[in-house]
Structure formats: C-alpha cells, structure tokens
Amino acid sequence: MGLTSNKVLALAVLFAVLLFAGTVVCWPRLARRDPRAVAGRVALLTATQVAVFVSVGLGANQAFGFYASWADLFGRESGQGVVVDHDGHDAGGTAGSLEVVDTGQVNVPGGARPRTGGQLQKVDLVGRRTRIASRAYVYLPPEYFQPRHRTRTFPVAVVLTGYPGTAEALIKGLHYPQTAHALAKDGRMQPMILVMMRPTVAPPRDTECVDVPGGPRTESFFAEDLPDAVSHHYRVGRKPVSWGIVGDSTGGYCALKLAMHHPRTYAAGAGLSPYYRAPTDRTTGDLFHGDEELRNSADLMWYLRHRPAPDTSLLVSSSRQGESNYRETLRFIDLVEARKPTRISSIILDSGGHNFNTWRREIPATLQWLSGRLSDR
C-alpha cells in the first residue's frame, strides 16, 4: 500500500487507538515497581506515541502532499528519475515525448462526463533537449471535448507545487481543477488547460529550476521541453500570450523566474508565497559550481537591476501577518514598478501562513488574473 493510501492512514489510526486502549487496560498490571513492569510501561507508552506520531504524519502528508511514496520519503525514489545529456546536445536527435498513462474524472458535478466536467490525464513527459523525465497531471476543461469547440485552441497554465510537494496535492489539496471548472462555468475566467506537476524533476534533489552545470537542466526543461511536448499533444496556443505559469513557495519562485527569464515562452507568471533568490542548502547541493553569472541570474532582484526588463506580467502574494516574505515582496513590487515594460500585480492578505489554506484563498483570484492576461491564439 502506498504512502498516500487511505488504507495506510486508516490502519495507522486503528493501530494507535488499539495501543491506547491496550495501555489503559494493561496499566494496572504494570503499576508495580519491578523491572519487567517498568519496561512494560515504557514499551507501551513509546509504542503508543510512535503510532500517534505516524498517524499525524501520514494525515499531514495527505493534506499537504510532502512526499508521494515511501521511496520519496526515505530519499530513495527511483520511479520518476532524470536522464541528463551532460554535453548539452540532443541525444541522437531523439524527440521528446508526452504519453498519457491514465485518465480520471474531475471532482465536480457531472464529472464522469468529459463534456460536462472535463478530464484529468496522468502523463509521463520526457524532454527532447534535456532528457529529463517527469510526471504531470493535465486538466482538460469541458470545452475541449465539446463538438462546437473541436477546432479551438486553449491557453495553458503550468502549475507547480512547492518542494518537495506532489503533483497530486495540486488536485486533492489545492483543488486547481475544481476551481478552474467553477470559475469558467460562472464566466469569471476563460477555459484553460492546466499542466500540474512538481518542480522536483530530479528527486530528492531540489534544483530550484536551475540549469545545474553538469546536472539536471531544470530551467530548460520548463522553458523549452515542457511547452514543446504539450503543444505537440494538445490543442493549445503556441505563442507566449497563450502560456502562463503559477506556483506556490518553491514553485512560486520558479514561476516568477521562468516568466522573467523566458518572456517568449510565458506571458505571465504568478508566485504564491514565493521567495526571490535560489537558496543553497543540503536539499539543493551546489547549484552553481562557481558560476557567478548563473548565481546572480537566480536572484530575481539582481536580475531586475542588471538585465533588461522582460515584457511579461507578474503576480506575487503575501500576508501582513504569517508570511516571512512580506517585506521582501514589497521590495520586489517596488523594483518591478520601476522596470517597464514588466508589469506587476499582487495579492496581500491581512493574515495567512505558508500553507494550503492560505493558497486556496488566493488561487481563484490568481486563475482569474492569469485568464485575463492569456489568449487562446
């Protein structure tokens, strides 16, 4: 049974409850002071606390999508790996690919019928240039399946999780497809295709959407390979005005950076609770290998000050209370306002932490903002 399985969570909770009940029942027998009774009390209390801790951890992981599998949890993930062409050239001219491996319904009224509820497709992507392999979930709106729209192309929003994050959390925890469906149905946004995935393309390493020298070329994957694969498989617009990108936390940083570095790919980028420079820690390793230009470019403040202002639209979010990026976000807004033609918008809440509940409050306005800046042509 998988780490995110409801059965695993139910068994863990049941085991914790049974241990608690067992402790209550057995406690009178273990009240003596001899070594065996003391050892019994220690064992029961320890086992009960561990069971409770595991239950809470599994529940939190299901709610916030930190880890997708047992291998992911223990840093031994091997299912969705990465193949790197270290010389920076296409390996034998092999084309990239997008393969649909499963389809599912959207959790909305009438979701069993694609023409009413749209459809979720689980896909495997392999980059033509970078040879990076990653999994994604693609939300196709109802209009995609309706005969009167059979020749229509659609705008695309790439949606990224934080680190470590799971793509499933964008569906089950942040409700992106359900929100997009409801907004489009009410006429508050145009129908859009959502490509939902984690920015962690070389798990368990956090590459911060950087083209790591001698390592994963993550930025190139999202800027070139992903749009190329999606454009060849789905009816989407191919101009920058048809493409936007949004993410939370690490995904928010990536979204802003990709929109700024690649305005010819993404016409708009939205960062929910983002930061503005790539960190270096035990999860990232050495991202830059002494390349100061690469390090500076990964600092969005530096990039705005020292590079031509990109022709793109940006959205940032924060909270006056609860978010550590509030003051830095204000500085970023001020900096962008002075760097035309880059455009900046913001969502500033009175309070809200760095969590799913906060982002769910921001996602409807963010999708509407993206919709207003993208076109299907």
Side-chain angles (χ1 to χ4, degrees):
M1 290 183 286
L3 178 64
T4 59
S5 168
N6 289 329
K7 292 182 180 179
V8 171
L9 178 59
L11 284 174
V13 172
L14 178 61
F15 190 55
V17 170
L18 290 176
L19 277 172
F20 177 79
T23 301
V24 173
V25 171
C26 296
W27 196 259
R29 303 177 188 178
L30 301 174
R32 300 185 303 273
R33 296 185 178 181
D34 61 86
R36 291 183 62 184
V38 172
R41 293 198 299 271
V42 170
L44 276 175
L45 289 173
T46 301
T48 301
Q49 291 186 36
V50 169
V52 170
F53 176 79
V54 169
S55 299
V56 172
L58 288 170
N61 188 63
Q62 283 212 16
F64 296 104
F66 298 122
Y67 300 99
S69 65
W70 296 108
D72 193 10
L73 174 65
F74 293 110
R76 297 173 182 173
E77 181 169 315
S78 59
Q80 292 299 309
V82 55
V83 180
V84 179
D85 178 14
H86 290 282
D87 63 6
H89 294 90
D90 205 356
T94 304
S97 67
L98 186 154
E99 179 185 1
V100 178
V101 297
D102 196 13
T103 60
Q105 69 181 58
V106 184
N107 187 21
V108 297
R113 300 184 301 276
R115 293 183 183 181
T116 303
Q119 188 178 79
L120 282 173
Q121 296 187 348
K122 183 190 294 186
V123 304
D124 284 338
L125 291 157
V126 179
R128 180 172 66 86
R129 301 165 184 83
T130 64
R131 310 313 303 157
I132 285 175
S134 189
R135 173 155 290 178
Y137 289 85
V138 177
Y139 163 70
L140 300 173
E143 290 80 2
Y144 194 87
F145 301 95
Q146 295 170 1
R148 62 193 171 112
H149 296 296
R150 64 183 179 275
T151 62
R152 176 180 178 178
T153 59
F154 293 82
V156 183
V158 176
V159 186
L160 301 178
T161 69
Y163 174 84
T166 65
E168 291 90 343
L170 297 168
I171 302 167
K172 298 178 181 179
L174 291 177
H175 308 151
Y176 268 96
Q178 300 92 313
T179 304
H181 181 276
L183 291 173
K185 184 177 181 181
D186 292 344
R188 289 184 285 165
M189 64 171 275
Q190 62 179 312
M192 291 197 299
I193 292 174
L194 306 182
V195 181
M196 298 167 286
M197 58 194 306
R198 61 198 299 199
T200 313
V201 296
R205 189 179 187 184
D206 176 12
T207 59
E208 294 291 325
C209 296
V210 169
D211 277 355
V212 181
R217 296 165 55 207
T218 313
E219 182 169 351
S220 293
F221 173 77
F222 284 110
E224 301 174 24
D225 285 344
L226 174 62
D228 181 61
V230 171
S231 296
H232 280 86
H233 193 87
Y234 297 104
R235 301 196 316 271
V236 301
R238 300 199 175 199
K239 296 181 180 179
V241 72
S242 295
W243 285 79
I245 185 166
V246 58
D248 59 77
S249 193
T250 299
Y253 162 75
C254 287
L256 295 176
K257 181 169 73 171
L258 286 160
M260 291 172 61
H261 287 191
H262 303 278
R264 293 185 178 180
T265 300
Y266 295 106
L272 307 183
S273 306
Y275 43 87
Y276 302 96
R277 63 183 61 82
T280 301
D281 54 30
R282 63 179 181 83
T283 66
T284 66
D286 186 355
L287 293 174
F288 308 111
H289 295 271
D291 188 332
E292 286 302 313
E293 175 68 18
L294 187 61
R295 183 187 304 274
N296 288 335
S297 294
D299 183 332
L300 304 187
M301 302 282 197
W302 184 96
Y303 194 86
L304 282 168
R305 293 188 182 102
H306 296 89
R307 292 289 178 264
D311 185 6
T312 192
S313 296
L314 305 175
L315 170 70
V316 293
S317 81
S318 187
S319 303
R320 294 182 179 87
Q321 294 183 348
E323 280 283 14
S324 62
N325 75 336
Y326 175 60
R327 294 188 182 279
E328 194 171 24
T329 295
L330 296 183
R331 289 196 295 271
F332 183 77
I333 293 170
D334 289 341
L335 186 57
V336 176
E337 285 181 331
R339 301 289 292 160
K340 304 301 181 186
T342 311
R343 298 162 294 281
I344 187 72
S345 304
S346 66
I347 300 172
I348 305 296
L349 301 178
D350 288 333
S351 65
H354 199 79
N355 55 53
F356 277 23
N357 184 58
T358 297
W359 299 327
R360 280 193 294 263
R361 295 160 60 197
E362 297 168 342
I363 287 169
T366 300
L367 288 177
Q368 287 180 270
W369 177 87
L370 272 176
S371 172
R373 282 150 184 81
L374 303 183
S375 169
D376 58 1
R377 300 297 179 189

